[in-house]
Amino acid sequence: MKKYNLVLFFIAIFFITMGCSKVSEVTETKTKASEEGTGTEPKSVTLLYSFAPGSLDPHTESITVRAGITETLVKIDENLEIKPWLAESWEQIDGKTWRFKVREGVTFHDGLPVDGEAVKASFERAIEVSKALQSLLKIESIEADGQQVTFKTTDEYPAFISELVHTNASVIQVNAENIEHAPIGTGPFKVTSYIQDVQIQLERFEGYWDGVAKLEKATVKFNSDGNVRSLSLQSKDADIAYHIPTESIEIIEKSDFLRIESIPSLRAHFILYNNNKATMKDVKVRQALDMLINRPVIAKDLMNGHATEANGPFNKNLPFGSPKEITAFDPDKAKALLEEAGYHLNAKGLMEKDGQTLSLKLATYQGRPELPLMAQYLLAEASLVGIEIDIVVVENVDSYLFENQDEWDMVTYSILTTPRGDGGYFFNVAYLPAASLNPGQIDNPELTSLIEVLNTTSDQFTRNELKSRGVEIIQEQVPQSFIVYPHIVVGVNERVINWKPGAEEYYLLTNTLDVK
């Protein structure tokens, strides 16, 4: 009961201080007054998403696949199996060579056909503008012949096919004049206007190869505030709102025109430690902080049951997930670890070492509304053992982390750890020293060597063994503290039909999505 009351207290404080101004903001927004269904207005839907992209360049942002503008050669289905998309079929010629047959009859939004040369040109641009994709795909050469396109990788690379699911591997018309604001793709919707950080206006592509979209128009809006998203859904300003705050779920479920879709995701919420800071280099400090996280309370109370307690980066239901129990909440043991690290309680009740108190800056962001709550909760638990935490709420978390690496000690973070069903992606982007999602500068030689072996291993059983060993290293060294595997919680107006969110969070607007 004590923990439950503590959680409610922080939820209340958080929304009193951060939420009230947002309520007035939303009530001032124009009510949609939707007239769809009268026979005079086009069928349309408005989707409200948490994170605004920096542009619409498909090779650096993921939103164009989510908004149904662009597509990739292959995709994953609801069972996380690789399926054909723009590619009709493919074959692996040898360890380094992959040949794809591009589907006949597919055109870009400007009417030009999609053939091997078009795919080649798109990939050449993609790996030129995206160093992350260049590192991920390891492409040495590309050859095109009619509807065929052949990739050769620099090394034997078994994960190449699954990495082609990456949204930045979208196939686009590279000769478009303004790719950053109006990319020309092959998806069921094409861009009619774009206002950065605000919205994308879309209309259906009448020449879509897989059947014209049910909707004539669609709008994707952006707002990082979970309360605004929830209230926009309730006011009918949005038909679909992603990442609904847990405290809004009951209200939405009681509505006679709204519903909640909640599905287990492929994502993990965690605390990432900044290994660039001297304090965070000490594994005993990281282990102590790990023991101050009460995962059952967070999953049950902070997230209202829409999450599973985490014991590592991957859900234990996956073949490479760990069977180990979660780290137990244990403040006494946390204190003992800090004492082993050289800290002691001073006269003010604060942990101190060499005349310096243990004061940490914890960054968080509102795009995922549960993360600031977790930050508040950790602050409270840490204060009871003499650790001071200063919370800073940032707007663009990735920019902040990479551009201000001397400022922060830890951050509440969230990543799709198995976006293509294979943990190899997460190992590569989160643990290699120069990886694209490693702002904490994790550099573990044992883990790096393991990843290098993993990247050249084809046998699935051996790959799973390597990934399982990698998880053990992570559990021992605690470069991050994994907290929960969150559900994707989406609020949906009942007028929306033929649609469900996917665990991969990739394919949001589709040609089959419809409204009553």
Side-chain angles (χ1 to χ4, degrees), residues 66-130:
R66 289 185 166 127
I69 302 165
T70 61
E71 297 169 312
T72 49
L73 289 176
V74 295
K75 64 187 298 187
I76 52 173
D77 66 8
E78 62 275 14
N79 299 316
L80 304 181
E81 294 178 353
I82 306 290
K83 296 294 180 183
W85 208 7
L86 289 178
E88 180 180 289
S89 60
W90 63 88
E91 59 179 327
Q92 185 173 9
I93 306 301
D94 56 42
K96 298 182 180 181
T97 309
W98 300 75
R99 182 169 295 150
F100 294 79
K101 182 180 181 183
V102 181
R103 196 178 295 276
E104 298 271 3
V106 178
T107 66
F108 291 111
H109 296 155
D110 61 2
L112 291 175
V114 178
D115 57 14
E117 284 292 346
V119 173
K120 177 175 182 281
S122 181
F123 272 87
E124 287 174 342
R125 181 187 183 276
I127 59 179
E128 179 183 348
V129 304
S130 172

Side-chain angles (χ1 to χ4, degrees), residues 190-209:
K190 57 184 182 181
V191 179
T192 57
S193 70
Y194 167 57
I195 303 174
Q196 186 174 346
D197 299 328
V198 179
Q199 66 179 25
I200 313 169
Q201 295 279 3
L202 304 157
E203 67 179 16
R204 73 181 176 195
F205 173 38
E206 299 295 341
Y208 183 55
W209 63 272

Side-chain angles (χ1 to χ4, degrees), residues 460-509:
Q460 197 57 51
F461 179 79
T462 306
R463 285 181 64 80
N464 288 342
E465 283 194 327
L466 288 166
K467 286 178 278 189
S468 295
R469 174 57 192 147
V471 171
E472 290 174 354
I473 296 171
I474 293 164
Q475 290 170 329
E476 292 162 6
Q477 294 300 314
V478 199
Q480 306 109 327
S481 287
F482 290 90
I483 304 173
V484 292
Y485 310 115
H487 288 192
I488 300 172
V489 181
V490 186
V492 186
N493 191 301
E494 290 287 7
R495 67 189 285 271
V496 175
I497 56 176
N498 298 338
W499 185 86
K500 284 186 176 296
E504 80 296 322
E505 288 188 68
Y506 279 172
Y507 316 116
L508 309 189
L509 291 186

